[in-house]
Amino acid sequence: MSYNINNNGYYGKFGGAYIPEMLYPNVEELRQNYINIMAEPDFQEEFQQLLKDYVGRPSPLYFAKRLSEKYTTKIYLKREDLNHTGAHKINNTIGQILMAKRLGKTRIIAETGAGQHGVATATVCALMGIKCVVYMGEVDIKRQAPNVARMKMLGATVVPATSGSKTLKDATNEAIRDWISNPTDTHYIIGSVVGPHPYPDMVARFQSVISEEIQKQLLKHENSSNPDYVIACVGGGSNAAGAFYHFLEDTNVKLIAAEAAGHGIDSGESAATSALGREGIIHGSKTLLMQTLDGQITEPYSISAGLDYPGVGPMHAHLYDSGRAEFISVTDADAMKAGLELCQLEGIIPAIESAHALAVFSKKQFKPNDVVVLCLSGRGDKDLDNYINYFNI
Ligand SMILES: *Cc1c(COP(=O)(O)O)cnc(C)c1O
């Protein structure tokens, strides 16, 4: 069995491109060109150069000694938190802005919920001097004021989505409407391994630099390029896709995905898609998603804004369905505790998303000689208010 995408744009039975007719030319242009463009030597050269000099890659693979002692196993942290803008998202937006340029696009649109993807997109648009429009729910604009300010400082136009619940899905609808109206000059930068084919594959390839580096770095540390386990949190699934990518077909490397259980899987307030989701179509692909009996998408909840998504990308639906990856649900409480623990054992304040991955150590016992790599997807500066309120600091 293959765990990567097939020629038709499917991971097992998940994936594909379920899009309105009006969007077909845009998506088809991208599908026909993305592999060839990414293979061009001058594309690769520019991409690698920016990852190095602008993002600060390779990100370190850090042996976490005190955390390892606490859980009597060997834990390495892949430090995506040290990237420019503080998370892995920049790997993808750099890749897509270069793709957009090669396709002759002069305008970028994106949608954002918590604002992290909006900031990563506004950043690369400033870098390239390309016009940037970010759609964001009116409610989210109020909730995420610092990120709205960052986007504006970076020169982006932030457009409020005022329909429906005025959150992420409404912003997505507005972005799609914009793309349909501006098919020739505009590229739509999607922020995770979601959306119609070829987005999940394209984003996974841009993020695959994470596992490419892990292999090289682990060879130096452990004399073997492959760990026993890779752990990552899953919202849409892009940091996990990048951390898993070069290990997908080697089943000796066990893959663990941490998903947000909010107040608990059965609380009615969670984002635990593998536990609660059923097959359905969201944002143009067939995947697992949380829905009511008659197929209405359930409003997700997590303390972490980046994991607050009612589905997972099709790669992860397949990894779950095939049993290739183990999915572990982590509540707000588990994640917050694990986040604070990393602060105090290693002097690293993690993003609350990444803290969900860290909580796996309190739920699963590893052997003393196991080599466990955890993708520390982002830093916690953006979550300070959340930590302060939660712990009454
Ligand atoms: C956005 C975000 C996530 C979730 O997105 P994925 O596509 O699942 O990786 C995880 N961690 C951080 C720090 C984020 O900003």
Side-chain angles (χ1 to χ4, degrees):
M1 185 187 304
S2 170
Y3 299 102
N4 212 326
I5 200 155
N6 68 22
N7 290 334
N8 301 321
Y10 280 83
Y11 299 87
K13 62 182 172 184
F14 301 105
Y18 298 81
I19 49 171
E21 190 71 33
M22 307 262 283
L23 213 54
Y24 181 80
N26 310 34
V27 174
E28 183 59 12
E29 180 188 28
L30 190 60
R31 191 190 67 78
Q32 284 184 8
N33 292 296
Y34 80 111
I35 296 272
N36 292 338
I37 290 175
M38 281 176 80
E40 285 168 8
D42 74 289
F43 179 94
Q44 275 305 322
E45 197 180 313
E46 197 176 356
F47 184 48
Q48 298 304 335
Q49 189 77 42
L50 286 170
L51 289 182
K52 178 167 171 281
D53 297 336
Y54 189 72
V55 177
R57 306 202 70 92
S59 65
L61 183 70
Y62 165 67
F63 177 66
K65 186 160 172 287
R66 296 205 334 123
L67 192 67
S68 297
E69 277 164 8
K70 161 110 201 227
Y71 291 104
T72 54
T73 190
K74 290 161 115 176
I75 302 172
Y76 288 88
L77 303 177
K78 181 59 173 160
R79 300 289 308 275
E80 294 301 298
D81 61 314
L82 294 177
N83 292 342
H84 176 49
T85 69
H88 65 291
K89 285 189 172 77
I90 191 83
N91 304 326
N92 168 50
T93 54
I94 294 260
Q96 285 203 48
I97 198 81
L98 296 180
M99 180 68 60
K101 272 184 25 175
R102 298 301 191 284
L103 290 169
K105 308 292 177 181
T106 55
R107 180 174 174 269
I108 295 295
I109 56 170
E111 96 282 331
T112 194
Q116 293 301 111
H117 173 58
V119 170
T121 301
T123 299
V124 298
C125 287
L127 176 68
M128 295 295 168
I130 292 182
K131 193 170 152 44
C132 179
V133 176
V134 179
Y135 290 94
M136 190 169 186
E138 204 172 34
V139 169
D140 290 333
I141 287 181
K142 292 209 182 85
R143 284 194 294 211
Q144 311 288 346
N147 278 339
V148 176
R150 286 186 184 102
M151 287 184 264
K152 287 183 178 166
M153 286 181 74
L154 293 161
T157 307
V158 181
V159 179
T162 55
S163 63
S165 56
K166 304 181 174 56
T167 59
L168 180 63
K169 74 171 165 35
D170 313 291
T172 306
N173 290 339
E174 294 296 328
I176 289 172
R177 209 164 293 151
D178 181 313
W179 208 21
I180 288 172
S181 316
N182 300 286
T184 40
D185 70 341
T186 298
H187 175 69
Y188 180 13
I189 298 190
I190 292 183
S192 188
V193 284
V194 300
H197 177 64
Y199 277 101
D201 185 44
M202 179 171 68
V203 177
R205 285 170 188 256
F206 288 141
Q207 293 291 0
S208 72
V209 63
I210 298 174
S211 49
E212 191 183 315
E213 289 175 4
I214 291 172
Q215 287 193 313
K216 285 187 198 144
Q217 293 166 321
L218 207 56
L219 191 60
K220 291 199 183 131
H221 284 285
E222 292 285 337
N223 266 322
S224 159
S225 55
N226 287 5
D228 297 294
Y229 291 89
V230 182
I231 304 176
C233 65
V234 171
S238 68
N239 87 89
F244 294 170
Y245 198 86
H246 291 284
F247 305 114
L248 284 173
E249 309 299 337
D250 182 350
T251 52
N252 290 321
V253 182
K254 287 163 226 114
L255 309 176
I256 298 177
E259 61 182 7
H263 292 144
I265 289 176
D266 300 319
S267 67
E269 287 182 290
S270 92
T273 306
S274 79
L276 300 170
R278 286 180 295 115
E279 205 176 305
I281 289 166
I282 182 171
H283 299 155
S285 74
K286 186 188 283 182
T287 188
L288 288 174
L289 73 131
M290 296 180 2
Q291 51 188 304
T292 60
L293 283 175
D294 56 357
Q296 295 297 313
I297 292 165
T298 313
E299 200 64 40
Y301 164 79
S302 163
I303 192 168
S304 122
L307 304 184
D308 187 352
Y309 183 70
V312 287
M315 174 197 278
H316 298 291
H318 182 51
L319 292 177
Y320 174 74
D321 194 56
S322 62
R324 174 69 184 91
E326 179 182 1
F327 279 66
I328 295 182
S329 302
V330 173
T331 61
D332 290 358
D334 296 334
M336 296 305 276
K337 191 164 160 246
L340 192 60
E341 182 179 79
L342 190 74
C343 298
Q344 298 178 353
L345 285 179
E346 298 288 350
I348 298 171
I349 302 176
I352 298 176
E353 291 86 355
S354 319
H356 283 71
L358 290 161
V360 166
F361 291 115
S362 63
K363 304 186 154 273
K364 185 179 171 81
Q365 186 68 52
F366 297 93
K367 295 201 220 63
N369 281 327
D370 281 341
V371 172
V372 184
V373 174
L374 182 142
C375 185
L376 200 72
S377 55
R379 66 176 89 122
D381 307 34
K382 69 181 177 62
D383 296 321
L384 224 50
D385 281 346
N386 238 339
Y387 279 121
I388 289 168
N389 292 334
Y390 190 87
F391 290 112
N392 254 315
I393 297 166

